[in-house]
Amino acid sequence: MATVYTAGRLAVQIGAPSSRCSYSDRSLYPSAAGSRARMGTRKKVQAFVRVKPTDDFAHEMIKYGEDNKSIDIHLKKDTRRGVVNNTQTDWSFKLDGVLHDASQDLVYETVARDAVSQALDGYNGTIMCYGQTGAGKTYTMTGATENYKHRGILPRALQQVFRMIEERPTHAITVRVSYLEIYNESLFDLLSTLPYVGPSVTPMTIVENPQGVFIKGLSVHLTSQEEDAFSLLFEGETNRIIASHTMNKNSSRSHCIFTIYMEAHSRTLSDEKYITSKINLVDLAGSERLGKTGSEGRVLKEATYINKSLSFLEQAIIALGDQKRDHIPFRQCKLTHALKDSLGGNCNMVLVTNIYGEAAQLEETLSSLRFASRMKLVTTEPAINEKYNAERMVKNLEKELALLKQELAIHDSLSNRTLVNYDPMDEIQIAEINSQVRRYLEGTLDEIDIINLRQIQEVFNQFRVVLSQQEQEVESALRRKYTLIDKNDFAAISAVQKAGLMDAEGHLVGEPDGQSFGLGVAPFSVKPGKKPRSKKTLKEQFSISARKEGASSPVSGKDFEVVSISKTQLVPSSKDGDIKDMLSRDRETSSIEPVPSDSPKEEVRPTRPSTPPSKPVAFEEFKNERGSEINRIFKENKSILNERRKRASETTQRINAIKQEIDVTKEALNFQKSLREKQGEYENKGLMIIDEEEFLLILKLKDLKKQYRNEYQELRDLRAEMQYCQRLVDQCRNRLLMEFDIWYNESFVIPEDIQAALKLGSSIRPGMVPVSRIVSLGEDDQDRFSQLQQTVLPEGPDSISFYNAKVKTEQKHSYMKTMTGLQQSHRK
């Protein structure tokens, strides 16, 4: 037999427990966090009190401590009970903080920021709001969705999670969310109304495993953007069950748990280890005194279930706070069972107790403060949740095993070995091996000592590095000393032969310089001892021809012949013009550019107009000249983005058409089934016999579902591509604006006498002179609307995702309401 459950009081179980209630062993409970959780230090639950603002605050009965971490309650003695009256009149509660007349910002910074921040490091977190009905629990947790400044802990936590993900580019972090409602001891998915989820056929159940507690049948949704997470939050909020009574016009009639799941993988390390965590944001229904609320009918039944579950929650808290208790009654109700791994387990637990500050509600306030005091006795053991990728772990172990086998084989084959280091080599060791290889090649080192397999591999690797460096040094030395001709360039070879610098057999022709002799065979037209008129070398002539020809394709050193060997080797001046003409004519150049002289020329700058042109006009000129390449890339990205948007729109239309056809096919199939049942069913060897028309409908429905899945997958891929293209478009736009800013300053704003300071090598760099940013690009309407939001919204760009999600959710439900009304009118 059990006592009657009353609001705000603990109901003590008398006699044998109910047959459906089970108890779990305290010694087994800590393992619920998972065997792979790293052991942490035990800490107590943090408990805060938030007082609801009121004009009728009981200043004489409620006092706050100077440290703002204690609250004292004083009641006047009832004189009607006589002179001897031992009734307690004073209470003092020590807490982690008292929030009186506190803003939503202060509440979040004090209560939730640390727990959310540690969640990204692998620690689980739970934030729970408890208190009397109408005390402000839902306002503290969710806030007012109509006003961005009044948003509560839950939307602020979502924002903090995505902000911190942006600050951690070295990790790939995925975020998923779920929204659970416990109404009259039944589990409901608040996100089941989404079109791709649908209602569950089987009822949801709570399942336990070594890793913790999870809800079987609860949908978990992947969110890659802050706006998507807000959309899911607002979708769930619209599906919550609320009712009205004398103390609260919008009273929550159920317990709600919004869970954020996070999984972080390192992008820089090939480690098989990764971390997971979750944050439970719990909004409990308020305890009620039926005499004050005046609940009747369905609301009375809901209040009974609410008070019952809160009583079981308090029993679990008392058991957790008592170290002598062997059993924790988690399974007495769905609420405590679902929060098993959050209450006293591997979790950072924070409790926010909402109370009234009025004298009329002082008894319920005392009950809530007692609950907070009991919660502070509970200890948790938060630890980092580490998991391992089995596939990557196997690959790493196999690679390490093969390497160790090779190491041991060499170790067994060699004798007289000292200590061997099997660790991977660092930069200092690699540099030492490189030095040994170089000394060995130079002959100063007789041999290189063999230590282990990794050292041998690194020695061969350094041989390759040194060889490559020497090849590059030899080729660069040849290029500095000689002029090289490509063997495959027949026009250049023919021109050299015609100039008399190479004979028919390909041998080089030398030229005396008056003091010594050049290599090769001197032509007959030159007499020994006679100095030529020109001292222009063949290398200079070919460099001039190369400048006339333009940029040539790079070739390797193997395809070149040495044409000039000595720097003193000269070419007759009479041949200069012939060589130039032959090279130009044989290579068939379309135009001949003037030979650039060695003397520097002043840069020709266009005359600056007296008044700077308007920025729109200057911007059009910039896009056609200096910014043409960036503008071209911007237009290409914009066209690709528009094409993806068009394809996504077409795919959405096809999905809607397929969905309508699926509905029609289902109706026809149900009609055929009902017709078959009326006419009588036929069976053959236990198999149902259906007609051809019904069979064709089944095949058609199967094909339509397959098409629907394929189209939906394509739509998801297109959305991912659209997101990537949008980021590229934004980057190109910002780059184009920045380049235009610099160009406009240099061309029209900065005085001419300062332009010299902006040249290459000076201390002033382009772009240091600020100008106002212009928006004269060809944005579409969506771009203009986005920029207008950023300037018009009072809270700035941070509130855009919040309002966008709110507007989309309202539009969706308005559309569904309208369509439902139309369907009902058609039926009538």
Side-chain angles (χ1 to χ4, degrees):
M1 181 176 181
T3 58
V4 180
Y5 297 100
T6 58
R9 298 180 181 273
L10 176 62
V12 181
Q13 188 83 10
I14 301 176
S18 174
S19 60
R20 68 180 181 87
C21 300
S22 60
Y23 299 87
S24 58
D25 196 310
R26 176 189 294 277
S27 62
L28 298 178
Y29 175 68
S31 64
S35 59
R36 295 179 181 174
R38 193 191 304 171
M39 295 302 293
T41 58
R42 299 192 68 85
K43 58 183 294 187
K44 291 188 176 182
V45 173
Q46 288 185 306
F48 297 88
V49 171
R50 188 180 190 184
V51 184
K52 184 177 182 179
T54 178
D55 295 334
D56 191 16
F57 187 80
H59 295 280
E60 297 180 355
M61 299 181 179
I62 302 176
K63 302 289 185 182
Y64 303 131
E66 295 181 357
D67 57 352
N68 210 27
K69 291 186 177 181
S70 63
I71 183 171
D72 299 329
I73 307 296
H74 172 72
L75 287 178
K76 295 181 180 180
K77 284 192 175 183
D78 189 0
T79 57
R80 293 175 297 179
R81 295 190 176 185
V83 178
V84 181
N85 186 359
N86 296 326
T87 305
Q88 183 177 355
T89 59
D90 294 285
W91 294 265
S92 181
F93 300 94
K94 297 291 184 180
L95 304 163
D96 292 287
V98 178
L99 302 170
H100 181 62
D101 290 336
S103 64
Q104 295 281 68
D105 290 335
L106 179 59
V107 170
Y108 183 78
E109 293 292 331
T110 306
V111 172
R113 177 167 291 278
D114 291 341
V116 176
S117 178
Q118 293 182 17
L120 283 175
D121 296 329
Y123 295 94
N124 293 334
T126 298
I127 303 173
M128 180 187 298
C129 288
Y130 175 90
Q132 182 186 3
T133 180
K137 299 179 299 301
T138 302
Y139 179 77
T140 300
M141 180 58 66
T142 308
T145 56
E146 294 80 9
N147 193 321
Y148 178 76
K149 291 183 178 180
H150 296 165
R151 66 196 188 283
I153 293 176
L154 207 162
R156 292 174 189 268
L158 289 174
Q159 281 185 317
Q160 182 182 350
V161 166
F162 284 99
R163 294 291 188 275
M164 295 183 67
I165 290 175
E166 293 177 356
E167 297 173 358
R168 300 190 182 190
T170 58
H171 287 77
I173 304 176
T174 57
V175 180
R176 295 176 174 85
V177 299
S178 64
Y179 211 166
L180 174 67
E181 180 184 47
I182 304 177
Y183 173 72
N184 290 355
E185 281 301 296
S186 299
L187 304 176
F188 296 95
D189 186 1
L190 291 177
L191 301 179
S192 62
T193 56
L194 295 173
Y196 53 88
V197 178
S200 178
V201 179
T202 58
M204 292 190 296
T205 56
I206 302 175
V207 181
E208 294 185 44
N209 58 18
Q211 283 72 38
V213 178
F214 68 96
I215 311 300
K216 185 178 181 180
L218 180 64
S219 62
V220 181
H221 304 264
L222 178 65
T223 58
S224 58
Q225 294 180 351
E226 182 180 317
E227 184 176 330
D228 297 337
F230 281 141
S231 298
L232 294 173
L233 170 62
F234 295 144
E235 178 71 22
E237 287 296 315
T238 56
N239 297 328
R240 291 187 63 173
I241 299 176
I242 60 175
S244 177
H245 52 72
T246 56
M247 296 188 65
N248 192 356
K249 294 182 179 180
N250 298 309
S251 175
S252 300
R253 313 309 297 166
S254 60
H255 310 296
C256 293
I257 305 174
F258 188 93
T259 306
I260 307 173
Y261 308 88
M262 285 169 284
E263 184 175 308
H265 295 260
S266 175
R267 286 194 175 104
T268 57
L269 302 177
S270 61
D271 194 4
E272 63 272 3
K273 181 173 62 177
Y274 64 98
I275 59 174
T276 61
S277 61
K278 66 177 181 178
I279 307 174
N280 288 323
L281 301 163
V282 187
D283 181 16
L284 298 175
S287 59
E288 300 180 11
R289 281 191 177 273
L290 303 182
K292 291 185 177 181
T293 59
S295 302
E296 295 179 353
R298 180 179 63 87
V299 180
L300 175 60
K301 180 181 178 181
E302 294 169 348
T304 303
Y305 276 105
I306 291 171
N307 291 338
K308 180 181 178 181
S309 60
L310 292 177
S311 298
F312 285 136
L313 174 63
E314 193 163 1
Q315 288 183 22
I317 296 302
I318 293 174
L320 287 170
D322 186 0
Q323 300 297 326
K324 298 180 181 180
R325 291 285 294 269
D326 295 331
H327 301 286
I328 310 299
F330 283 118
R331 298 191 181 183
Q332 292 194 31
C333 65
K334 298 290 180 63
L335 175 63
T336 55
H337 198 185
L339 295 176
K340 179 178 178 180
D341 56 355
S342 298
L343 301 173
N346 172 23
C347 182
N348 286 316
M349 181 74 181
V350 181
L351 175 71
V352 181
T353 304
N354 296 86
I355 63 173
Y356 278 94
E358 300 175 356
Q361 311 295 336
L362 204 57
E363 190 173 353
E364 286 78 11
T365 297
L366 280 172
S367 177
S368 299
L369 291 174
R370 291 191 190 102
F371 180 86
S373 298
R374 295 185 181 109
M375 182 65 80
K376 279 188 63 63
L377 299 176
V378 178
T379 58
T380 62
E381 191 173 355
I384 298 178
N385 299 292
E386 295 179 347
K387 294 188 178 181
Y388 295 87
N389 189 325
E391 183 178 356
R392 183 177 294 180
M393 184 189 300
V394 170
K395 289 182 179 180
N396 291 343
L397 292 176
E398 288 177 350
K399 184 178 179 180
E400 187 69 19
L401 181 61
L403 187 61
L404 290 175
K405 287 181 179 179
Q406 295 174 4
E407 293 276 7
L408 290 176
I410 292 183
H411 180 76
D412 295 337
S413 64
L414 299 177
S415 60
N416 298 326
R417 294 176 52 111
T418 58
L419 295 177
V420 179
N421 183 15
Y422 293 100
D423 296 332
M425 293 189 174
D426 54 14
E427 296 180 357
I428 299 176
Q429 294 173 333
I430 294 175
E432 177 63 25
I433 293 176
N434 183 275
S435 176
Q436 292 178 2
V437 170
R438 290 183 180 274
R439 285 185 287 152
Y440 179 79
L441 293 175
E442 293 171 357
T444 58
L445 184 65
D446 296 334
E447 61 182 14
I448 300 176
D449 295 333
I450 296 176
I451 299 177
N452 55 24
L453 179 63
R454 285 178 176 162
Q455 186 252 359
I456 295 175
Q457 292 176 345
E458 189 59 38
V459 166
F460 281 103
N461 184 38
Q462 292 304 316
F463 267 110
R464 185 187 298 112
V465 171
V466 172
L467 179 61
S468 176
Q469 292 176 353
Q470 290 181 351
E471 287 180 351
Q472 294 176 3
E473 291 174 359
V474 171
E475 183 177 347
S476 61
L478 288 174
R479 289 182 180 276
R480 288 194 302 268
K481 191 173 182 181
Y482 307 114
T483 301
L484 307 179
I485 296 178
D486 187 3
K487 287 184 176 181
N488 298 324
D489 193 351
F490 299 104
I493 295 175
S494 175
V496 173
Q497 290 177 350
K498 290 179 182 180
L501 301 177
M502 181 183 294
D503 57 13
E505 297 179 356
H507 298 292
L508 300 176
V509 178
E511 188 76 34
D513 61 356
Q515 297 177 357
S516 61
F517 291 94
L519 298 179
V521 181
F524 295 102
S525 59
V526 180
K527 297 180 180 181
K530 184 178 180 180
K531 293 185 179 181
R533 300 176 185 176
S534 174
K535 292 183 179 292
K536 188 174 292 185
T537 63
L538 182 62
K539 181 176 180 180
E540 295 173 350
Q541 296 174 14
F542 276 101
S543 63
I544 294 174
S545 301
R547 285 195 294 265
K548 290 183 178 182
E549 176 71 13
S552 60
S553 60
V555 292
S556 62
K558 298 179 181 179
D559 297 333
F560 286 91
E561 278 190 7
V562 177
V563 175
S564 175
I565 299 179
S566 175
K567 293 183 179 180
T568 60
Q569 182 176 352
L570 304 178
V571 179
S573 59
S574 59
K575 301 279 185 177
D576 292 350
D578 297 336
I579 293 174
K580 296 176 183 178
D581 296 339
M582 290 178 197
L583 291 175
S584 303
R585 184 170 57 254
D586 293 337
R587 298 192 180 190
E588 297 179 357
T589 54
S590 58
S591 63
I592 299 178
E593 298 178 0
V595 179
S597 62
D598 296 334
S599 60
K601 294 183 179 180
E602 294 185 358
E603 182 182 357
V604 180
R605 300 182 60 88
T607 58
R608 176 180 294 187
S610 57
T611 58
S614 62
K615 285 190 175 181
V617 175
F619 188 69
E620 294 299 328
E621 179 183 355
F622 170 76
K623 288 194 295 183
N624 296 328
E625 295 179 358
R626 182 170 170 179
S628 59
E629 182 65 19
I630 303 177
N631 187 43
R632 180 187 63 80
I633 298 174
F634 171 75
K635 289 183 177 180
E636 289 179 358
N637 292 336
K638 196 64 177 291
S639 63
I640 294 173
L641 177 60
N642 293 332
E643 188 268 337
R644 294 296 188 274
R645 286 176 176 173
K646 183 178 178 181
R647 285 176 53 187
S649 177
E650 294 174 353
T651 305
T652 305
Q653 294 177 2
R654 291 197 300 270
I655 290 175
N656 293 334
I658 294 173
K659 184 63 173 61
Q660 294 177 359
E661 193 171 355
I662 288 175
D663 295 338
V664 173
T665 306
K666 283 183 178 180
E667 292 180 0
L669 185 60
N670 293 333
F671 177 74
Q672 289 293 331
K673 288 182 180 179
S674 61
L675 187 62
R676 171 166 48 84
E677 292 174 356
K678 292 179 181 179
Q679 294 177 354
E681 298 178 346
Y682 298 93
E683 294 185 1
N684 184 13
K685 297 181 180 181
L687 300 176
M688 187 66 63
I689 299 176
I690 60 176
D691 56 3
E692 182 179 0
E693 185 176 358
E694 186 175 354
F695 179 72
L696 293 176
L697 287 174
I698 294 175
L699 293 179
K700 181 180 179 181
L701 183 61
K702 184 178 179 180
D703 294 338
L704 288 174
K705 289 182 178 180
K706 183 178 180 181
Q707 294 178 16
Y708 183 85
R709 288 192 294 268
N710 294 337
E711 294 291 343
Y712 184 75
Q713 183 62 36
E714 181 180 357
L715 181 61
R716 292 183 63 181
D717 296 340
L718 286 173
R719 287 176 177 173
E721 293 179 11
M722 287 166 56
Q723 181 181 356
Y724 178 73
C725 292
Q726 183 64 52
R727 186 160 57 250
L728 292 180
V729 169
D730 295 338
Q731 290 176 356
C732 288
R733 179 183 293 117
N734 295 335
R735 178 67 182 275
L736 191 60
L737 290 172
M738 183 182 66
E739 293 291 339
F740 170 73
D741 207 359
I742 297 173
W743 174 80
Y744 190 83
N745 274 340
E746 294 176 348
S747 302
F748 306 107
V749 178
I750 302 175
E752 294 182 355
D753 54 352
I754 305 179
Q755 289 291 335
L758 294 175
K759 291 183 178 179
L760 185 62
S762 62
S763 59
I764 302 179
R765 297 185 303 273
M768 294 180 65
V769 180
V771 293
S772 59
R773 176 175 176 174
I774 64 168
V775 190
S776 57
L777 291 174
E779 304 106 342
D780 51 18
D781 294 338
Q782 183 64 32
D783 295 333
R784 294 193 185 95
F785 179 71
S786 300
Q787 294 175 1
L788 184 64
Q789 279 184 323
Q790 296 182 7
T791 55
V792 172
L793 289 178
E795 292 83 7
D798 292 341
S799 63
I800 292 178
S801 57
F802 181 86
Y803 284 118
N804 283 344
K806 181 65 177 177
V807 170
K808 289 180 180 178
T809 305
E810 291 177 349
Q811 290 176 350
K812 172 189 173 183
H813 286 276
S814 177
Y815 171 79
M816 293 177 61
K817 186 177 180 180
T818 304
M819 294 301 296
T820 304
L822 290 175
Q823 291 177 359
Q824 292 178 354
S825 62
H826 286 313
R827 290 175 183 175
K828 292 181 180 180

